[in-house]
Amino acid sequence: MAFADISRRSFLAGAGSTVAASLAGMPLIHAGTAQGQVAAGVLRRKIPGSDVSIPAIGLGSWITFNVGVDPVLLKNCTDVMAAFFAGGGEMIDSSPMYGSSQATIGHGLKTLGIHRDQVFATDKVWTSDENGGDDQIAETARRWGISKFDLLQVHNMRDWEDQLPVLQAKKAAGELGYVGVTTSHGRRHELLSVIMQREPLDFVQVTYNPLDREVENRILPIAQERGMAVIINRPFRGGHLTKALRGVPVPEFSSELGAQSWAQLILKYIVSHPAVTCAIPATTRVDHVRENLAAAMPGKVEKDAVLPTPDMRHAIAAAIGDAL
């Protein structure tokens, strides 16, 4: 839940063996109840080291919410947010780097009358000014129209040695729920692993999907070992992956997972990894946000959302590799 309640997406041969091993001890839906699952609702995951849980599907805002003051586009983004919250979504992620996306989110929250405890507000610090973090955070809060964030992250580890202490101080003062760092596109994993082992982070944010799997080797295991939540960005490679699969029939076994599209298969693949807390696909379409949320919801018959077994994870990656 939100800050006020805190005290509350060709298969590389053999690449999935580490994940399969780690999945062996993870309760999957076909065998029982999913980790963090709330019956008849969207799959939830606990933030390690806390009693707080968040839905496993969130909402990104890179590119999609950078619409300026165009009233038609603002209304479209507000409609996407309305569908997201109506479907049980909570985490929205943005950054000062994302143009007008922060202001778009603020417009949507105000227009929809969303209560603060309905949103897990997630943003970033993106500055090389060692003294500029506080001012940037204040401006970000003004654009969102809120006073406190649940999670703030150092975007792409930019000036992380100066900015992480700013965030940690806010957390210690009770002005912030959680602290994290981010990277994307599979970049700078060596530095990220160093920071993860050195700093007391609550969250990390990385790119992960059935094709981009490098984080399985080191980043995700470190997160599990050190009790860090993991946010997944670019689950569809910025939309390029789902576009490339357009017109390709989903595998027959998709019905066993309750997946009706490649997007849902990819998201199920991602959130079935035991280290993953939340995936944040971005979209401009109401039907797509509903489709994404449905990937982590129970079907008409099942009590809980159905996640892939290790063998099915291999099959999903292989099917995507064969199709591309």
Side-chain angles (χ1 to χ4, degrees):
M1 303 300 284
F3 185 92
D5 302 300
I6 283 175
S7 45
R8 344 189 280 163
R9 167 165 329 214
S10 75
F11 169 68
L12 301 178
S17 57
T18 301
V19 176
S22 61
L23 279 169
M26 177 187 177
L28 296 173
I29 296 307
H30 69 282
T33 301
Q35 180 183 11
Q37 172 70 31
V38 175
V42 65
L43 175 72
R44 302 182 72 90
R45 289 280 164 77
K46 276 192 175 183
I47 297 171
S50 79
D51 293 326
V52 179
S53 68
I54 56 175
I57 304 297
L59 182 64
S61 63
W62 179 57
I63 297 179
T64 53
F65 276 23
N66 183 20
V67 299
V69 295
D70 185 299
V72 174
L73 296 180
L74 279 172
K75 182 182 183 305
N76 180 72
C77 291
T78 299
D79 290 345
V80 166
M81 290 176 62
F84 176 71
F85 289 116
E90 291 178 16
M91 177 186 282
I92 299 183
D93 174 89
S94 194
S95 169
M97 179 187 174
Y98 298 169
S100 66
S101 294
Q102 295 172 325
T104 299
I105 293 169
H107 172 85
L109 294 176
K110 181 177 180 180
T111 301
L112 296 171
I114 298 298
H115 295 158
R116 180 62 186 86
D117 62 359
Q118 292 177 264
V119 57
F120 190 91
T122 303
D123 214 290
K124 306 179 184 76
V125 174
W126 187 64
T127 179
S128 294
D129 181 351
E130 62 180 275
N131 299 313
D134 279 314
D135 289 344
Q136 189 175 76
I137 292 167
E139 176 61 17
T140 293
R142 185 191 68 78
R143 292 173 179 174
W144 276 67
I146 62 176
S147 59
K148 297 178 181 178
F149 283 92
D150 296 292
L151 166 64
L152 288 174
Q153 308 151 97
V154 180
H155 192 165
N156 287 341
M157 300 175 285
R158 185 175 184 179
D159 192 29
W160 66 272
E161 290 179 295
D162 288 320
Q163 304 309 326
L164 266 182
V166 173
L167 301 186
Q168 295 289 8
K170 288 187 176 297
K171 177 184 174 182
E175 300 172 2
L176 176 63
Y178 303 98
V179 172
V181 297
T182 81
T183 187
S184 62
H185 297 75
R187 298 170 180 159
R188 305 178 73 189
H189 286 170
E190 185 61 36
L191 175 58
L192 177 59
S193 67
V194 170
I195 298 173
M196 291 173 69
Q197 291 170 321
R198 168 177 158 177
E199 301 292 335
L201 303 175
D202 302 305
F203 277 80
V204 293
Q205 183 179 143
V206 295
T207 295
Y208 180 51
N209 57 61
L211 295 183
D212 300 306
R213 304 172 60 174
E214 184 183 334
V215 293
E216 292 177 354
N217 299 324
R218 190 169 186 187
I219 302 303
L220 297 184
I222 294 174
Q224 288 180 284
E225 178 184 347
R226 292 183 57 79
M228 298 173 183
V230 180
I231 301 171
I232 301 303
N233 58 43
R234 292 179 56 81
F236 308 139
R237 287 186 164 183
H240 295 295
L241 182 52
T242 46
K243 287 179 182 176
L245 292 167
R246 188 177 297 161
V248 179
V250 294
E252 290 186 6
F253 65 79
S254 300
S255 60
E256 299 178 44
L257 296 170
Q260 300 179 354
S261 67
W262 284 108
Q264 291 184 342
L265 270 183
I266 292 166
L267 288 174
K268 284 177 178 288
Y269 177 97
I270 292 169
V271 302
S272 66
H273 193 291
V276 171
T277 307
C278 181
I280 50 170
T283 182
T284 60
R285 291 174 49 170
V286 168
D287 60 333
H288 283 177
V289 77
R290 290 173 177 159
E291 176 185 13
N292 295 339
L293 287 167
M297 289 183 177
K300 295 180 180 178
V301 176
E302 297 82 13
K303 177 183 177 182
D304 303 309
V306 182
L307 299 181
T309 64
D311 285 345
M312 284 183 173
R313 286 173 54 86
H314 286 295
I316 291 169
I320 291 174
D322 291 343
L324 299 179

